[in-house]
Structure formats: C-alpha cells, structure tokens
C-alpha cells in the first residue's frame, strides 16, 4: 500500500483523496484470495486498479439532455484551463451527433476572448452569440438563451470568464448565470496538470455553484491525470469528457479504465495479473470438464455453478441471456431464485466428504435425514436434489461427448 500511495501522489492525486482511498482499499483488500503464480503485491495492484475504475466510473459519460430545447451547458473553471477550447470541441462533438448547437461568449474581461470563441465557431461551423463587452455576463446569457429558443437550438454551450484563482467575483457571476440559464449541465473544466490543488479547487466550485460533471483537459501532456480521481472523490460527479490536444477534434468521452491505468502507471503488473487470471479460469474450466467426463461432478461443483449463476445478477437478467429461455414468467423466475437458495442451504449442511462423494447420500437414508434436519428442509427435497445431481452428471457427460465430436443419437448416418 505504500507503493500505491506513492504512485497516486506521483500522479498528483490530492493528499486527502489519497488517504481516504488507500484506507478504503486496504479494508476491501483484506481477505481477497491471491491467484496462483501471482505475488500478493501484484494482486493488490489489480485490486487497487479495479477500485479506481469503480470509483471513477458508474455513470455513462453522456450529457444530461433537458426535456425542452435547448439543453444548456454552462462552462466553469479557472483562466487558461481550456474552457473556450472545450466549448468549440463540444460544439463539434454534438454537431457530429446531428444536434443543432449554438455558443454564447460571455468573457467580457479578457481582450480578444470573444474573438477567440467566434473564430472557433467559424472553424467548427457553429454560430456564436455575442453582445460585446459592455453588458454584464448574465445579461448576455439571458439574451443568448432567448436567441437559442427562437432558433430552436438543441444544445446551447455557454463560455464564461475564468480567473487566475478562485475568487468571489467569478463565483457570483457564475451563480447569476446559473440562475438565468437553469442549465442541465454545469461542467467544471480542469487542467490535468493541476497538481495537489485539484481537490480544493473542485470543492470550492462545487460548494459555490454545484457542478454536474467535469472535463479534464490537456491530457496530451505528460501528467498522469490524478486530478481525475480528486474530482470524483471530492464532488461525487463524473468526468464526462477529456481533452487531448488543441485541435477541435481532440475531445473524447471519459474512459475510467484507461484513466485508472494512467494514474497508477503500473500497466505491466496489471496485464500480468489479468493474464494469470485468464489462465486460472481456463484451468478451472478444464478441471470441471475433466470431472464431467469422469462423471465426478459433485456437490462442490454444483455449489460453484450455482454461485456463479447467482453472481451473474438477478435471475431475470440471467435468464434473458440464455437462448430460448426468454419467456420465463415472473413467478417461475422467483421459483428458480428460491430453489437456488434451497440448494445452497442443503449443500451447506453436508459434510465435506458427502459433498465430494454424492454416492454417500444416494446410498444412505440416514445421511439424507441428517442433511434435511440441518438445513431445515424435507427429506424429499434432499432426495430430489441428490437425484438431480446424478441426472445432471449424465446430461453433462452426454453433452460433452457431443461437443467433443461424438454423434447425436438418432442423427448419425
Ligand atoms: P480558457 O481560458 O479556460 O478559456 O482556456 P483556453 O480555451 O483559451 O485555452 C488555453 C490554452 O490551452 C490555449 O492555448 C489552448 O489551445 C490550450 N488547450 C486547451 N485545451 C487543450 C488540450 O486539451 N491540450 C492542449 N495541449 N492544449 C489545450
Ligand atoms: Mg476562455
């Protein structure tokens, strides 16, 4: 965990974020089994990576579209982080998706800021609404929104002025604009090179104006992008897009797995562990196949299969994935779920010896009675499960020999 901590700090993840993340993962990692051939520290890197992905992922990186036109996106962020550039990129991105876009220039402070957006607008062929620099930003925003409604624009992207640091003037201005625009999205633009300050920065913007997501820019640089993790940890909001260059095409949806790999910077360890994992699954499958062929499929395997099925998710989803099984009624699905639980309880009441030798149960009524008592089920239920296992053995063996090139009875010439 010390190595992980160092890796995260080197990637510029903010210190408090590193602390809480490391603490959480440490708790989660305890008790996790290590794959054969992999060292525990290597396995841990994989655990950390998966947690990073989980933490940064979850929601789809799309924009929340409003029900009535236009969907308004308000941009926020410090000066120079790439807000104006991101406006142009977003406009192009949505235009390519067939949306009618418009941009609004409200940065009345920096000379040439309006021209910059107008130029980008020409480049991506999206109209820009501007009203000079003599009226206040929220007033420009109001006029821009009215114009967008008139032209029945799908997406209105509002560029704003940043400051070098978080300051009250900027926040008040953004709050005013938010009131006027009622935006579906308030996207905080964060420079990936932002170091340790990212957490405080995100926190300040989120508390003051409430962000809905973020855009991480300048990922084409050599920063490891730890700010991404800080954004998520501090605000609970997703990164929706990443910017990877100055050109208008250089915008991509955010991919949590790629980002996690980049932040950790331990790609070779990760691919090694993943490979080991695959090998293990293959070995398990081979083992099972061997057991089936030798008709040794026992209650341990039965339980493993049952649990694997349960892990796949709610029964109705599993069933919908199986060909020809899509028409199970809700009632039948509930029954199936219940019987999985019953099977588990009965197998838990068996001795290890009984689990690996189902014959013992088949031959001994007193053993079956004991299992029934222990699991709180009836003796008929136990007998039924035992005979089910033997039927399964036979069916699986048949199926396997067909799959291995045997012939289907009745179909051979
Ligand atoms: P704003 O002050 O937040 O509006 O920032 P600008 O959009 O004007 O961008 C500031 C500078 O960063 C400009 O030179 C941009 O070309 C550059 N820039 C913006 N996004 C990216 C990016 O993703 N990668 C790189 N390399 N440069 C970027
Ligand atoms: Mg700008």
């Amino acid at each position: 965990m010390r190595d992980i901590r160092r890796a995260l700090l080197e990637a510029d993840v903010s210190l408090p974020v590193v602390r809480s993340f490391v603490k959480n993962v440490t708790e989660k990692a305890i008790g996790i089994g290590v794959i054969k051939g992999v060292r525990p520290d290597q396995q841990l890197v994989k655990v950390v990576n998966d947690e990073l992905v989980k933490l940064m992922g979850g929601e789809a990186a799309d924009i929340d579209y409003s029900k009535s036109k236009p969907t308004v996106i308000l941009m926020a962020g410090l000066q120079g982080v790439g807000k104006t550039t991101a406006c142009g990129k977003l406009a192009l991105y949505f235009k390519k998706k067939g949306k009618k876009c418009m941009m609004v220039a409200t940065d009345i402070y920096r000379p040439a800021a309006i021209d910059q957006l107008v130029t980008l607008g020409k480049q991506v062929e999206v109209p820009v609404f501007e009203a000079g620099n003599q009226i206040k930003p929220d007033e420009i925003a109001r006029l821009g929104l009215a114009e967008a409604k008139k032209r029945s624009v799908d997406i209105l992207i509002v560029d704003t002025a940043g400051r070098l640091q978080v300051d009250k003037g900027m926040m008040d201005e953004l709050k005013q604009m938010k009131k006027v625009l009622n935006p579906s999205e308030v996207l905080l633009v964060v420079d990936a090179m932002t170091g340790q300050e990212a957490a405080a920065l995100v926190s300040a913007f989120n508390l003051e104006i409430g962000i809905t997501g973020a855009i991480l820019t300048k990922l084409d640089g050599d920063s490891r992008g730890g700010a991404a993790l800080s954004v998520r940890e501090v605000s609970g909001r997703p990164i929706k897009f990443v910017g990877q260059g100055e050109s208008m095409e250089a915008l991509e949806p955010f991919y949590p797995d790629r980002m996690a790999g980049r932040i950790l910077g331990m790609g070779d360890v990760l691919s090694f562990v993943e490979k080991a994992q695959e090998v293990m699954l293959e070995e398990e499958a081979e083992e099972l196949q061997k057991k089936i062929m030798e008709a040794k499929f026992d209650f341990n395997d039965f339980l493993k299969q049952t649990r694997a099925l349960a892990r796949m998710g709610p029964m109705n989803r599993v069933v919908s994935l199986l060909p020809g099984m899509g028409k199970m009624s809700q009632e039948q699905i509930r029954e199936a779920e219940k019987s999985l639980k019953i099977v588990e309880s009965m197998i838990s009441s068996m001795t290890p010896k009984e689990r690996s030798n189902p014959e013992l149960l088949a031959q001994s009524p007193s053993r079956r009675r004991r299992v029934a008592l222990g699991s709180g089920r009836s003796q008929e239920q136990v007998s039924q499960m035992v005979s089910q296992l033997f039927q399964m053995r036979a069916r699986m063996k048949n199926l396997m020999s067909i799959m291995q090139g045997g012939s289907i009875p009745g179909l051979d010439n």
Side-chain angles (χ1 to χ4, degrees):
M1 285 319 285
R2 203 181 312 130
D3 288 343
I4 300 290
R5 203 181 132 91
R6 189 179 316 130
L8 294 176
L9 285 173
E10 271 168 15
D12 273 336
V13 181
S14 306
L15 186 59
V17 174
V18 173
R19 281 208 190 108
S20 72
F21 179 78
V22 165
K23 184 163 168 278
N24 281 338
V25 178
T26 307
E27 279 162 16
K28 282 199 179 148
I30 292 172
I32 288 180
V34 177
I35 298 167
K36 209 170 65 190
V38 172
R39 289 203 321 263
D41 57 322
Q42 294 169 325
Q43 178 88 41
L44 188 59
V45 171
K46 170 80 173 136
V47 172
V48 170
N49 181 71
D50 293 351
E51 280 301 314
L52 279 176
V53 174
K54 227 195 287 170
L55 192 70
M56 290 187 292
E59 287 154 79
D62 202 7
I63 288 291
D64 251 346
Y65 296 96
S66 82
K67 287 192 186 71
S68 57
K69 280 186 193 179
T71 292
V72 178
I73 303 175
L74 179 63
M75 309 291 271
L78 295 182
Q79 190 173 310
V81 292
K83 286 183 302 303
T84 305
T85 310
C87 286
K89 288 176 178 178
L90 280 176
L92 182 62
Y93 178 87
F94 288 116
K95 196 183 122 183
K96 280 184 182 165
K97 284 188 156 199
K99 306 275 181 194
K100 188 170 172 190
C101 297
M102 194 174 115
M103 298 190 272
V104 183
T106 74
D107 184 351
I108 56 174
Y109 307 105
R110 249 180 23 176
I114 295 174
D115 289 344
Q116 186 192 355
L117 192 69
V118 170
T119 308
L120 292 179
K122 281 199 186 113
Q123 211 177 313
V124 299
E125 296 175 324
V126 166
V128 173
F129 180 89
E130 56 112 341
N133 55 9
Q134 297 304 310
I135 55 176
K136 279 173 46 187
D138 58 316
E139 184 57 19
I140 302 176
R142 201 180 57 74
L143 294 171
L145 180 61
E147 180 67 22
K149 280 183 179 157
K150 208 165 77 191
R151 296 200 205 173
S152 121
V153 159
D154 297 312
I155 298 185
L156 184 69
I157 303 164
V158 182
D159 189 20
T160 61
R163 308 283 196 278
L164 287 173
Q165 288 145 14
V166 170
D167 86 354
K168 187 162 179 309
M170 172 177 60
M171 292 299 184
D172 287 346
E173 201 172 285
L174 285 168
K175 270 187 231 173
Q176 257 336 97
M177 288 217 250
K178 197 178 168 187
K179 217 182 262 171
V180 170
L181 292 165
N182 187 25
S184 307
E185 294 276 359
V186 179
L187 297 182
L188 179 63
V189 181
V190 181
D191 184 332
M193 322 255 227
T194 314
Q196 285 293 319
E197 321 82 87
L201 178 83
V202 173
S203 166
F205 273 95
N206 196 35
L207 283 176
E208 287 285 340
I209 54 168
I211 63 171
T212 60
I215 299 180
L216 198 61
T217 60
K218 310 193 190 178
L219 264 182
D220 48 317
D222 47 12
S223 121
R224 297 241 302 268
L229 187 61
S230 302
V231 168
R232 189 68 204 227
E233 265 274 330
V234 170
S235 69
R237 297 300 184 172
I239 310 256
K240 299 214 164 180
F241 296 97
V242 298
Q244 292 171 308
E246 297 190 55
S247 91
M248 289 296 102
E249 274 83 23
L251 183 84
E252 267 192 9
F254 175 70
Y255 297 109
D257 49 342
R258 283 189 210 165
M259 199 66 223
R262 178 167 175 154
I263 291 176
L264 263 185
M266 298 182 179
D268 37 347
V269 179
L270 280 174
S271 51
F272 171 71
V273 177
E274 268 154 24
K275 214 166 259 145
Q277 225 162 18
E278 271 165 34
V279 171
M280 195 190 67
L281 289 179
E282 264 167 37
E283 278 175 7
E284 248 181 33
E286 268 168 31
E287 180 80 5
L288 185 63
Q289 192 176 346
K290 213 171 112 203
K291 275 191 164 168
I292 290 170
M293 291 314 286
E294 293 167 0
K296 279 188 184 153
F297 184 81
D298 62 21
F299 281 115
N300 290 318
D301 306 312
F302 199 79
L303 193 61
K304 229 189 255 170
Q305 296 291 299
T306 313
R307 288 196 175 142
L309 204 61
R311 262 204 310 276
M312 284 169 71
M315 193 48 102
N316 55 356
R317 230 196 57 217
V318 177
V319 166
S320 69
L321 295 174
L322 301 175
M325 300 233 5
K327 287 192 200 75
M328 233 168 139
S329 72
Q330 282 302 316
E331 184 60 27
Q332 284 169 314
I333 287 167
R334 263 196 298 279
E335 280 304 307
E337 266 164 352
K338 222 163 58 197
S339 63
L340 283 183
K341 287 214 182 76
I342 296 174
V343 163
E344 274 215 62
S345 71
M346 290 190 286
I347 298 181
S348 328
S349 292
M350 294 174 189
T351 65
K353 225 169 159 181
E354 287 163 350
R355 290 188 204 181
S356 47
N357 297 295
E359 290 80 5
L360 290 177
L361 284 160
Q363 290 154 3
S364 160
S366 69
R367 282 179 189 270
R368 293 203 295 272
R369 197 173 321 125
R370 205 199 65 252
V371 171
L373 277 176
S375 59
R377 309 288 168 187
S378 68
Q379 286 187 52
E380 289 75 58
Q381 279 177 304
V382 178
S383 305
Q384 213 176 11
M385 181 182 58
V386 173
S387 65
Q388 224 178 12
L389 180 99
F390 284 99
Q391 282 167 22
M392 254 174 99
R393 257 191 190 180
R395 266 208 312 269
M396 285 173 122
K397 191 167 177 199
N398 256 339
L399 201 68
M400 202 62 85
S401 40
I402 291 170
M403 275 159 46
Q404 289 186 342
S407 55
I408 302 172
L411 275 188
D412 42 7
N413 319 317

Tab-separated table of all heavy atoms in Angstrom, residues 6 42 97 99 123 151 197 218 230 246 261 327 342 357-358 370 374 399:
chain	number	residue	atom	x	y	z
A	6	ARG	N	2.448	6.045	-3.029
A	6	ARG	CA	3.440	6.844	-3.723
A	6	ARG	C	3.022	7.051	-5.182
A	6	ARG	O	3.088	8.152	-5.715
A	6	ARG	CB	4.817	6.176	-3.645
A	6	ARG	CG	5.911	7.083	-4.178
A	6	ARG	CD	7.301	6.461	-4.094
A	6	ARG	NE	7.563	5.794	-2.824
A	6	ARG	CZ	8.046	4.554	-2.719
A	6	ARG	NH1	8.303	3.864	-3.809
A	6	ARG	NH2	8.273	4.031	-1.543
A	42	GLN	N	1.349	-7.889	-6.362
A	42	GLN	CA	0.870	-7.713	-7.736
A	42	GLN	C	-0.659	-7.794	-7.776
A	42	GLN	O	-1.330	-7.010	-8.442
A	42	GLN	CB	1.466	-8.786	-8.648
A	42	GLN	CG	2.972	-8.638	-8.793
A	42	GLN	CD	3.612	-9.840	-9.469
A	42	GLN	OE1	3.163	-10.971	-9.277
A	42	GLN	NE2	4.647	-9.596	-10.236
A	97	LYS	N	-23.108	14.593	-33.871
A	97	LYS	CA	-24.191	13.696	-33.454
A	97	LYS	C	-25.533	14.159	-34.016
A	97	LYS	O	-26.578	13.645	-33.626
A	97	LYS	CB	-24.285	13.675	-31.923
A	97	LYS	CG	-23.203	12.864	-31.259
A	97	LYS	CD	-23.517	12.751	-29.774
A	97	LYS	CE	-22.840	11.525	-29.204
A	97	LYS	NZ	-23.452	11.124	-27.929
A	99	LYS	N	-26.848	17.247	-33.681
A	99	LYS	CA	-27.549	18.246	-32.867
A	99	LYS	C	-27.280	19.642	-33.402
A	99	LYS	O	-26.180	19.930	-33.889
A	99	LYS	CB	-27.060	18.185	-31.413
A	99	LYS	CG	-27.144	16.814	-30.792
A	99	LYS	CD	-28.496	16.566	-30.224
A	99	LYS	CE	-28.551	15.197	-29.591
A	99	LYS	NZ	-29.912	14.766	-29.309
A	123	GLN	N	-14.655	27.906	-37.308
A	123	GLN	CA	-13.904	26.692	-37.618
A	123	GLN	C	-14.803	25.443	-37.583
A	123	GLN	O	-14.701	24.574	-38.441
A	123	GLN	CB	-12.805	26.554	-36.576
A	123	GLN	CG	-11.547	25.879	-37.048
A	123	GLN	CD	-10.525	25.893	-35.933
A	123	GLN	OE1	-10.295	26.923	-35.281
A	123	GLN	NE2	-9.930	24.755	-35.673
A	151	ARG	N	-34.276	30.141	-32.317
A	151	ARG	CA	-33.741	29.357	-33.435
A	151	ARG	C	-33.919	27.858	-33.230
A	151	ARG	O	-33.409	27.052	-34.006
A	151	ARG	CB	-32.236	29.605	-33.567
A	151	ARG	CG	-31.894	31.031	-33.924
A	151	ARG	CD	-30.494	31.036	-34.491
A	151	ARG	NE	-29.832	32.309	-34.350
A	151	ARG	CZ	-28.565	32.519	-34.655
A	151	ARG	NH1	-27.822	31.511	-35.077
A	151	ARG	NH2	-28.023	33.704	-34.525
A	197	GLU	N	-3.597	20.870	-5.858
A	197	GLU	CA	-4.706	21.792	-5.542
A	197	GLU	C	-6.045	21.322	-6.098
A	197	GLU	O	-7.073	21.907	-5.788
A	197	GLU	CB	-4.467	23.209	-6.081
A	197	GLU	CG	-3.074	23.769	-5.998
A	197	GLU	CD	-2.226	23.274	-7.145
A	197	GLU	OE1	-2.236	23.899	-8.211
A	197	GLU	OE2	-1.553	22.228	-6.972
A	218	LYS	N	-6.023	18.826	-21.501
A	218	LYS	CA	-4.563	18.739	-21.631
A	218	LYS	C	-4.004	17.388	-21.203
A	218	LYS	O	-2.916	17.294	-20.659
A	218	LYS	CB	-3.895	19.890	-20.864
A	218	LYS	CG	-4.515	21.243	-21.222
A	218	LYS	CD	-3.715	22.408	-20.754
A	218	LYS	CE	-4.533	23.690	-20.939
A	218	LYS	NZ	-3.880	24.884	-20.487
A	230	SER	N	-9.342	13.012	-7.947
A	230	SER	CA	-9.723	14.031	-6.972
A	230	SER	C	-11.103	14.591	-7.291
A	230	SER	O	-11.932	14.772	-6.399
A	230	SER	CB	-8.686	15.158	-6.948
A	230	SER	OG	-7.412	14.633	-6.636
A	246	GLU	N	-5.010	20.599	-28.865
A	246	GLU	CA	-5.580	21.905	-29.141
A	246	GLU	C	-6.592	21.875	-30.277
A	246	GLU	O	-7.386	22.789	-30.429
A	246	GLU	CB	-4.451	22.885	-29.465
A	246	GLU	CG	-3.519	23.061	-28.275
A	246	GLU	CD	-2.526	24.198	-28.474
A	246	GLU	OE1	-2.984	25.326	-28.739
A	246	GLU	OE2	-1.324	23.949	-28.381
A	261	GLY	N	-5.550	3.152	-15.318
A	261	GLY	CA	-4.252	2.639	-15.723
A	261	GLY	C	-3.207	3.733	-15.778
A	261	GLY	O	-2.078	3.563	-15.330
A	327	LYS	N	-38.809	-16.604	-22.118
A	327	LYS	CA	-40.231	-16.477	-21.775
A	327	LYS	C	-40.589	-17.054	-20.409
A	327	LYS	O	-41.669	-17.541	-20.192
A	327	LYS	CB	-41.077	-17.157	-22.859
A	327	LYS	CG	-41.101	-16.335	-24.137
A	327	LYS	CD	-42.161	-16.833	-25.095
A	327	LYS	CE	-41.875	-16.379	-26.514
A	327	LYS	NZ	-40.761	-17.152	-27.127
A	342	ILE	N	-32.365	-22.752	-1.700
A	342	ILE	CA	-32.618	-24.029	-1.032
A	342	ILE	C	-31.446	-24.979	-1.264
A	342	ILE	O	-30.933	-25.610	-0.339
A	342	ILE	CB	-33.942	-24.658	-1.544
A	342	ILE	CG1	-35.111	-23.737	-1.155
A	342	ILE	CG2	-34.146	-26.056	-0.985
A	342	ILE	CD1	-36.451	-24.157	-1.702
A	357	ASN	N	-18.471	-36.841	-2.503
A	357	ASN	CA	-18.960	-38.182	-2.876
A	357	ASN	C	-20.482	-38.245	-2.796
A	357	ASN	O	-21.034	-38.747	-1.810
A	357	ASN	CB	-18.400	-39.254	-1.940
A	357	ASN	CG	-16.901	-39.356	-2.039
A	357	ASN	OD1	-16.361	-39.718	-3.072
A	357	ASN	ND2	-16.233	-39.013	-0.955
A	358	PRO	N	-21.150	-37.755	-3.790
A	358	PRO	CA	-22.620	-37.744	-3.741
A	358	PRO	C	-23.203	-39.140	-3.535
A	358	PRO	O	-24.317	-39.279	-3.038
A	358	PRO	CB	-23.009	-37.187	-5.105
A	358	PRO	CG	-21.800	-36.507	-5.619
A	358	PRO	CD	-20.619	-37.190	-5.031
A	370	ARG	N	-30.197	-36.465	8.018
A	370	ARG	CA	-29.383	-35.506	8.759
A	370	ARG	C	-29.271	-34.172	7.998
A	370	ARG	O	-29.419	-33.100	8.563
A	370	ARG	CB	-27.990	-36.072	8.995
A	370	ARG	CG	-27.293	-35.471	10.208
A	370	ARG	CD	-25.793	-35.683	10.182
A	370	ARG	NE	-25.166	-34.993	9.090
A	370	ARG	CZ	-24.656	-35.551	8.012
A	370	ARG	NH1	-24.671	-36.864	7.847
A	370	ARG	NH2	-24.123	-34.826	7.055
A	374	GLY	N	-30.561	-30.579	9.258
A	374	GLY	CA	-29.600	-29.480	9.374
A	374	GLY	C	-29.974	-28.266	8.552
A	374	GLY	O	-29.700	-27.129	8.945
A	399	LEU	N	-23.683	-34.269	-23.237
A	399	LEU	CA	-23.473	-33.007	-23.943
A	399	LEU	C	-22.010	-32.845	-24.307
A	399	LEU	O	-21.650	-32.453	-25.409
A	399	LEU	CB	-23.905	-31.870	-23.023
A	399	LEU	CG	-24.229	-30.553	-23.704
A	399	LEU	CD1	-25.494	-30.722	-24.538
A	399	LEU	CD2	-24.417	-29.477	-22.653
